[in-house]
Amino acid sequence: MLQAITLWLVLQLLFTIWNLRQMPKLGSRLHSYGWEQQYDYSQQNSNTTTHHTYSGTAAGPADGLAASHGTELASTGKQRPLLSILIPVRDEEINIRECLESVLSCRTDSIELEILVMNDHSEDGTVSEVKKVMADDTRVHLYEGRPLPEGWMGKSYACHQLSQHAQGEWWLFVDADVRLGPEALEAAMITARSQQTGLISGFPRMETGTWLERLVVPMMAFVIGYHLPIMMVRRSPLPFYLAVTGAWLMIHRDSYVRCGGHKHIFNHIVEDMELAKAVKKAGDPVTLADVQRHTSARMYRNAAQVWEGYKKNIFAGTGRNPLLVLGITVLYTLLFIWPLLMLIYGLITMQTELIGWSAAAVLTGMLSKGIIDHHSGKPFWMGVLLPASALCLILILLDSWFAGIKGKGYSWKGRTCG
């Protein structure tokens, strides 16, 4: 058994190394594939206006492309496209100001910018923090959310309302806990305009503070890098091949309309994945991009938030499929927990062969996680946490499942859903 598990883990390690290389970096230009709907955007992008000359230094590949992009717009006299930054907020006093300031600090030589904030009935100082930023920059606009209709998820309704105000060609939905780097928006527009339509998403570099954050939060990137054929997200029309996050999700306005927007998925807990599925079903492309260099986020601040946040989403993320829940539980126990238990048992009983195979399995799994952690901006050494991380993920998954089948629902920011 251990020999078979070790062989499987070695194959998964090789797949992981190859798989991570398939993720396009934000700022790179994308190519279309045969299954995607083709649209002619030449007319809407052909309007001319005053030149906006690019100024700035290029510090890397994405920066160089951004410089080229800005210079190209200036030389052809094309109108700078409007990018709408859409930020739904509910009780985000500690986050929203830094988020807005990071957006406003981005270089925007080749784009125009509007920043729309939807206050979803916050009960803290969120509105006050937004107004402080508004006083210094007129590009920031604050809207008060309407009462939540029956059946709607709170975030989906906030995003739906934001879509009714957005004027941009592309819309970038950003969570309040996300921070953007100086070149983030220029890089995003290069990738977006090369794709022309559809949806682009990427997982920000996750900052962690508490130990449960370190154990659980990096597992998002692990699950994707370890299991999902990343290249198929863009190349396949099948909704099965998907991974996106609402924390950083960019969509063309026409694709949003074609797929039905958040109104079409109003009652889904994992609204970001459902929106991406709808985009694919509408025949538009979806890309999972590497945005680590340009974005960061701290999703949770303590162990309770980590547990409740993942508990809310993880069972819904399996499609509420009990067989998949059991399959994940068995698979992760066999691959990442049982070999460690066998290693401990082998050391106690001094069984050399058992020690060798179990150590090989444990180290191979840890190496895979370390590689994914490093790719995601985390320290390589965090790979050693894999058995504990797998155990935590299993426990949260089971807790989420039990809450779902008992009809208790999930609590988040003063609301109960699911």
Side-chain angles (χ1 to χ4, degrees), residues 205-223:
R205 183 180 68 256
M206 293 299 175
E207 307 292 345
T208 54
T210 64
W211 270 105
L212 196 59
E213 288 178 79
R214 296 188 182 101
L215 288 173
V216 175
V217 172
M219 290 298 285
M220 281 192 304
F222 177 79
V223 170

Side-chain angles (χ1 to χ4, degrees), residues 163-228:
S163 73
Q164 295 176 324
H165 295 282
Q167 300 297 315
E169 175 187 356
W170 283 88
W171 303 346
L172 176 58
F173 289 95
V174 176
D175 283 353
D177 50 25
V178 171
R179 307 291 179 263
L180 302 186
E183 299 294 330
L185 299 183
E186 290 282 351
M189 283 304 296
I190 291 168
T191 299
R193 288 174 72 81
S194 70
Q195 181 168 292
Q196 295 192 321
T197 187
L199 183 151
I200 302 166
S201 185
F203 288 81
R205 183 180 68 256
M206 293 299 175
E207 307 292 345
T208 54
T210 64
W211 270 105
L212 196 59
E213 288 178 79
R214 296 188 182 101
L215 288 173
V216 175
V217 172
M219 290 298 285
M220 281 192 304
F222 177 79
V223 170
I224 293 169
Y226 202 69
H227 299 293
L228 176 69

Side-chain angles (χ1 to χ4, degrees), residues 336-403:
F336 308 130
I337 298 174
W338 188 65
L340 179 60
L341 296 178
M342 290 298 98
L343 176 59
I344 295 171
Y345 178 74
L347 290 170
I348 293 173
T349 59
M350 296 303 293
Q351 299 183 48
T352 305
E353 184 177 0
L354 180 61
I355 292 173
W357 281 109
S358 58
V362 170
L363 292 175
T364 304
M366 289 178 174
L367 180 58
S368 293
K369 185 174 185 295
I371 291 171
I372 296 172
D373 284 339
H374 179 71
H375 182 268
S376 303
K378 309 301 294 182
F380 178 79
W381 66 263
M382 288 182 66
V384 303
L385 301 176
L386 179 57
S389 295
L391 177 60
C392 289
L393 194 67
I394 289 170
L395 293 176
I396 296 174
L397 175 60
L398 294 177
D399 191 20
S400 179
W401 177 29
F402 293 150

Side-chain angles (χ1 to χ4, degrees), residues 35-94:
W35 67 269
E36 299 165 3
Q37 294 283 356
Q38 300 298 315
Y39 306 97
D40 183 7
Y41 289 98
S42 59
Q43 190 63 37
Q44 79 174 46
N45 293 330
S46 63
N47 298 327
T48 59
T49 187
T50 305
H51 292 356
H52 296 269
T53 306
Y54 170 86
S55 62
T57 58
D63 302 342
L65 284 171
S68 173
H69 183 56
T71 304
E72 178 183 323
L73 283 172
S75 63
T76 59
K78 287 186 177 180
Q79 183 178 359
R80 298 197 305 183
L82 176 64
L83 172 62
S84 300
I85 309 297
L86 309 181
I87 311 176
V89 293
R90 179 175 171 86
D91 296 337
E92 293 287 358
E93 179 182 3
I94 65 173

